Amino acid sequence: MFNGKSILITGGTGSFGKKYVKTLLQRYQPARLIIYSRDELKQFEMQQEFNDPCMRYFIGDVRDGERLTQAMQNVDFVIHAAALKQVPAAEYNPTECIKTNIHGAENVIRAALANDVEKVIALSTDKAANPINLYGATKLASDKLFVAANNMAGGHPTRFSVVRYGNVVGSRGSVVPFFQKLIAQGSDHLPITDVRMTRFWITLQQGVDFVLKNFERMYGGEIFVPKIPSIRIVDLATAMAPDLEQRVIGIRPGEKLHEIMCPADDSHLTLEFADHYVLRPTITFASRQNHFETNASGEHGVPVAQGFEYNSGTNPVFMSVPEIIDFNRVAEAES
Ligand SMILES: NC(=O)c1ccc[n+]([C@@H]2O[C@H](COP(=O)([O-])OP(=O)(O)OC[C@H]3O[C@@H](n4cnc5c(N)ncnc54)[C@H](OP(=O)(O)O)[C@@H]3O)[C@@H](O)[C@H]2O)c1
């Protein structure tokens, strides 16, 4: 599906973007792979690693609609990964987070429509489900924009969908590199915010593969959620440093005990497929099909029970300490 195609990735120098590029280059022969991000140094470093003739590096900000429109000329597919995603930074700099995550999303939509891009997938997060922090709230607003954009398409062929998933093992600024740093520094303990805390757990490669698959599955308007395991943070700490004391420091601002991917209030919209869920749009699309039970790949989904919630605390699939060790080892080898 990606052979001979032009693909643009906003935030292409980030954890997701680099893995995505690596995977695409291994499996397909795209015509052009365009990296769109702000920092020239990150792009320079990425060019040392990825210098295939199809690679293009564009400096640009998603806040700059004109630049985005120019960058998307003759592009077939867009993956929108650029975001400000640190919860505390978003709380302290709310307008900056809104400009990048919400206004940036609007710009991506307008640029994609203006260039008749075929398909756009925007990355979202479990923090966007019933959000309690600004990062999650901006990502929910972004999700809503991308879903509703299918109604703005008019005569344009462009279709927009969202992929929502949980904690990526080892991504920049996440708990695994934080614990690794403390262990390497010889810390006498690992800080645990709350012994009850759980998180969804996914490797970068699983995230990338899920996004690739959903380009085939999408009609436009879906929020795709993968079925993935949960971990307890205390089990993660034990897996990484079995002999280190675990010291409870209390929950941080904007943090939840458990994350949600499919809220109970959306259960009437949620369909269960073999390896994922789909949140159907709350709105009806004009002059479009509005049935999502069978996706574009021919897979069938069934409605979940009323009140069903996909929550990291009640997830039927939890990893044990040995399983977390294996899982993290695989994630590290893949990175
Ligand atoms: N990591 C996770 O655990 C996780 C979990 C669920 C969902 N997600 C979502 O997945 C996406 C990618 O995350 P990631 O882990 O790859 O993030 P990341 O490693 O922090 O990368 C973010 C990328 O966005 C770019 N960027 C930031 N602001 C920008 C702007 N205003 N204009 C253009 N580019 C901008 C950054 O480059 P410059 O700074 O050079 O611009 C960088 O390339 C995000 O949308 C995030 O919400 C992540």
Side-chain angles (χ1 to χ4, degrees):
M1 144 162 229
F2 300 101
N3 288 336
K5 299 288 186 181
S6 289
I7 303 149
L8 181 141
I9 309 168
T10 69
T13 56
S15 308
F16 178 90
K18 282 200 277 194
K19 191 62 168 181
Y20 200 87
V21 165
K22 191 171 183 184
T23 306
L24 273 180
L25 292 176
Q26 277 168 353
R27 299 183 191 167
Y28 302 94
Q29 279 97 38
R32 285 185 307 151
L33 249 181
I34 304 163
I35 303 301
Y36 185 94
S37 64
R38 298 164 306 168
D39 177 26
E40 58 184 349
L41 181 61
K42 276 193 227 116
Q43 290 202 359
F44 173 76
E45 285 166 355
M46 189 168 171
Q47 281 175 47
Q48 313 306 306
E49 197 180 346
F50 300 101
N51 58 8
D52 188 280
C54 75
M55 295 299 302
R56 305 282 186 280
Y57 290 88
F58 289 5
I59 298 284
D61 195 316
V62 291
R63 299 179 187 185
D64 183 347
E66 206 179 312
R67 176 68 174 141
L68 263 177
T69 304
Q70 187 192 27
M72 277 190 211
Q73 280 176 38
N74 300 315
V75 163
D76 301 293
F77 300 123
V78 170
I79 299 106
H80 178 44
L84 290 182
K85 57 165 215 191
Q86 297 297 328
V87 170
E91 298 299 307
Y92 280 105
N93 306 278
T95 50
E96 297 308 304
C97 186
I98 289 166
K99 280 182 200 161
T100 295
N101 294 358
I102 301 181
H103 298 164
E106 280 182 86
N107 290 334
V108 169
I109 290 164
R110 284 211 193 88
L113 288 173
N115 284 291
D116 282 345
V117 168
E118 198 183 319
K119 290 181 180 179
V120 178
I121 286 189
L123 298 190
S124 182
T125 160
D126 47 11
K127 294 183 173 58
N130 298 355
I132 60 160
N133 52 55
L134 187 76
Y135 166 57
T138 60
K139 292 297 271 191
L140 178 62
S142 167
D143 294 356
K144 297 280 182 194
L145 285 165
F146 279 103
V147 168
N150 291 284
N151 256 351
M152 287 164 63
H156 297 277
T158 317
R159 294 293 176 255
F160 301 88
S161 294
V162 172
V163 165
R164 175 184 289 175
Y165 54 69
N167 276 46
V168 175
V169 184
S171 65
R172 288 195 320 154
S174 66
V175 60
V176 168
F178 176 58
F179 280 178
Q180 275 170 340
K181 191 169 157 213
L182 290 176
I183 295 163
Q185 285 169 346
S187 171
D188 62 351
H189 73 279
L190 289 181
I192 302 290
T193 48
D194 192 297
V195 292
R196 296 165 296 171
M197 186 169 282
T198 64
R199 286 295 178 262
F200 287 111
W201 215 229
I202 187 169
T203 69
L204 209 40
Q205 188 65 60
Q206 288 172 329
V208 164
D209 291 343
F210 189 61
V211 170
L212 285 171
K213 200 104 195 125
N214 292 325
F215 270 103
E216 292 165 15
R217 289 172 167 151
M218 65 181 273
Y219 288 122
E222 307 91 337
I223 298 177
F224 292 99
V225 171
K227 288 185 184 173
I228 49 179
S230 286
I231 58 143
R232 292 179 186 82
I233 293 297
V234 287
D235 290 342
L236 175 68
T238 305
M240 292 181 67
D243 301 324
L244 225 49
E245 181 201 340
Q246 297 178 6
R247 203 174 291 166
V248 176
I249 57 164
I251 201 154
R252 291 176 303 178
E255 225 176 24
K256 287 181 182 173
L257 274 186
H258 310 291
E259 296 288 2
I260 294 168
M261 290 220 267
C262 305
D265 288 331
D266 282 341
S267 61
H268 62 294
L269 301 169
T270 307
L271 294 170
E272 179 170 13
F273 289 76
D275 66 353
H276 67 283
Y277 297 98
V278 166
L279 298 174
R280 287 175 287 185
T282 49
I283 54 172
T284 305
F285 296 131
S287 47
R288 288 251 343 251
Q289 75 92 16
N290 284 281
H291 305 290
F292 295 91
E293 284 81 359
T294 302
N295 65 26
S297 296
E299 298 164 319
H300 301 288
V302 291
V304 299
Q306 281 297 313
F308 166 82
E309 183 166 86
Y310 192 36
N311 179 312
S312 66
T314 54
N315 187 355
V317 186
F318 259 90
M319 281 195 290
S320 64
V321 171
E323 284 169 335
I324 295 172
I325 293 171
D326 285 345
F327 194 90
N328 290 4
R329 198 174 290 136
V330 169
E332 191 154 358
E334 283 173 357
S335 67

